[in-house]
Amino acid sequence: MAEEESVEEESVDEESVEEESVEEESVDRAPGLSVRLKLTLSYAGFLTLAGVLLLAAVWVFLLRYVPERALIIPGSTGAPMPDGVFPIRSSLLRVFAPRAAAVLAFLLVLGLGGGWILAGRMLAPLAQITDAARTAGNGSLSHRIRMKGRQDEFRELSDAFDSMLGQLESHVAEQQRFAANASHELRTPLAISRTLLDVARKDPTRDRGELIERLHAVNTRAIDLTEALLLLSRGDRGNFTRESVDLSLIAEEAAETLLPLAEQRRITLDVTGGVARTSGSAELLLRMVTNLVQNAVVHNLPAGGTVTVRTEAHGDTSMLRVENTGRRLPPELVPTLTEPFRRGTERVRTDEHAGAGLGLAIVHSVVRAHDGTLDLVPRSAGGLLVTVRLPGTL
């Protein structure tokens, strides 16, 4: 019984909460006056007020000085009496008041009609922007306002909205392309694993040691790819704790880690430079430098190549340069190297470096999350010069 009562009380509480939320939503969505109507009433009110002030000025500076009685001052003896009408205040008020009321009524009607038309013309650009926002909300990000006319506040808002739609469309397209590429990359090791298992099931005499070794290699690649995707996502979000980091120490740590790989490939790895402090995540910055150095070692000459890592500080900017020898890169290929899963024609995976095409993409993401810039310049003699600029700290 107690449990039933508690369940009933919880259901009653949930119903009351839902009713309160519905009431709040209904209050928030209560219909109100349109902006056009508000502007119309404002125009009409100001015009009518101006008329009232004008009539008040006529009363203050003119009518109040008209006498209540007609005063006739006799002239000299024998002088003729002046002809005409001598107005008094009461007579003027009887004639003036109805006409003043008619003028005020006319001003009110004129303010309402003219204000409605003027408000409509003033708010027409806003209606264009609203229609564009609705179109974008329905999923069409290719629509642009392209408002014509002179530069004003509505034109600035329209241009800013078009720019936002362009960036949003580019970002969504990039995310869709990234999701498709990630799905393809993740599907490959899974398909290989399934094929190996199917072969082992159909051929029980197959060497299990070889099967286990190949499955281990495929699963390792899948795990590395997943970790790279998570790291790339983390860099894009930028939700990390910032601390003071010295890029020179990060470069030395990355070089020490990759020194065996460089020696194996007979690549000379040299780290020089001074202190270059910045604010950010030491873990992400280490991954950034490691990816740059590893990329420089792997995509190098078959033997006798060099990799130079240099750190320095210039004013309020900390710089990291990674330069390597290698084959010549076409200039049109360089801008695509920071895109996820993009590899150059001569920059392909090998068994020794089963990369996923995320190295420079992760570097770009980390640099962007730290409010820095990344420059890739192909060397005339072959290879690549990568320059990372980050905000410096004291």
Side-chain angles (χ1 to χ4, degrees), residues 243-252 272-280 285 288-289 310-321 388-394:
E243 57 181 329
S244 180
V245 180
D246 186 359
L247 292 179
S248 62
L249 299 180
I250 295 292
E252 291 178 2
T272 61
V275 176
R277 294 192 174 276
T278 187
S279 177
L285 291 174
M288 175 196 74
V289 179
R310 180 176 179 81
T311 58
E312 54 187 316
H314 290 287
D316 57 352
T317 302
S318 295
M319 301 178 60
L320 170 74
R321 286 192 175 93
V388 176
R389 294 180 177 87
L390 299 176
T393 59
L394 299 178

Side-chain angles (χ1 to χ4, degrees), residues 213-241:
E213 187 66 26
R214 295 188 64 181
L215 285 176
H216 181 269
V218 172
N219 288 337
T220 300
R221 166 162 167 72
I223 293 173
D224 293 341
L225 176 59
T226 304
E227 291 179 349
L229 290 173
L230 292 175
L231 183 63
L232 183 61
S233 174
R234 182 185 173 191
D236 288 336
R237 292 195 306 269
N239 53 349
F240 51 82
T241 303

Side-chain angles (χ1 to χ4, degrees), residues 84-325:
V85 178
F86 298 90
I88 60 177
R89 188 187 302 172
S90 59
S91 298
L92 288 177
L93 289 177
R94 281 197 305 271
V95 176
F96 181 74
R99 288 165 176 77
V103 170
L104 289 178
F106 174 75
L107 290 177
L108 180 60
V109 174
L110 179 64
L112 290 174
W116 182 261
I117 297 174
L118 289 176
R121 291 177 61 87
M122 291 291 294
L123 295 177
L126 188 60
Q128 287 183 263
I129 298 174
T130 302
D131 293 339
R134 289 197 182 99
T135 303
N138 293 330
S140 177
L141 300 178
S142 60
H143 177 72
R144 298 293 183 272
I145 302 173
R146 296 187 178 89
M147 186 176 295
K148 300 179 180 180
R150 296 183 178 181
Q151 192 72 21
D152 56 8
E153 287 80 359
F154 285 117
R155 178 69 180 275
E156 291 179 1
L157 178 60
S158 171
D159 294 343
F161 192 82
D162 285 345
S163 177
M164 181 195 69
L165 285 179
Q167 294 178 2
L168 187 60
E169 182 182 18
S170 176
H171 181 70
V172 170
E174 181 181 352
Q175 292 296 322
Q176 291 176 347
R177 184 170 62 252
F178 175 78
N181 291 331
S183 300
H184 174 75
E185 293 286 338
L186 286 172
R187 183 177 59 184
T188 300
L190 295 177
I192 295 175
S193 298
R194 184 177 64 180
T195 302
L196 291 175
L197 292 175
D198 289 341
V199 170
R201 184 177 58 183
K202 295 178 181 178
D203 186 9
T205 60
R206 188 179 181 87
D207 185 8
R208 292 188 177 182
E210 179 185 358
L211 174 63
I212 293 175
E213 187 66 26
R214 295 188 64 181
L215 285 176
H216 181 269
V218 172
N219 288 337
T220 300
R221 166 162 167 72
I223 293 173
D224 293 341
L225 176 59
T226 304
E227 291 179 349
L229 290 173
L230 292 175
L231 183 63
L232 183 61
S233 174
R234 182 185 173 191
D236 288 336
R237 292 195 306 269
N239 53 349
F240 51 82
T241 303
R242 293 180 177 269
E243 57 181 329
S244 180
V245 180
D246 186 359
L247 292 179
S248 62
L249 299 180
I250 295 292
E252 291 178 2
E253 183 177 354
E256 184 179 355
T257 302
L258 294 172
L259 184 59
L261 177 62
E263 292 176 347
Q264 178 184 355
R265 291 173 170 266
R266 290 179 290 177
I267 302 295
T268 302
L269 181 57
D270 185 23
V271 180
T272 61
V275 176
R277 294 192 174 276
T278 187
S279 177
S281 169
E283 178 186 358
L284 290 179
L285 291 174
L286 176 59
R287 185 59 181 265
M288 175 196 74
V289 179
T290 302
N291 283 6
L292 286 176
V293 177
Q294 184 177 19
N295 188 76
V297 171
V298 172
H299 302 291
N300 212 309
L301 297 176
T306 60
V307 175
T308 303
V309 182
R310 180 176 179 81
T311 58
E312 54 187 316
H314 290 287
D316 57 352
T317 302
S318 295
M319 301 178 60
L320 170 74
R321 286 192 175 93
V322 179
E323 185 176 7
N324 70 300
T325 55

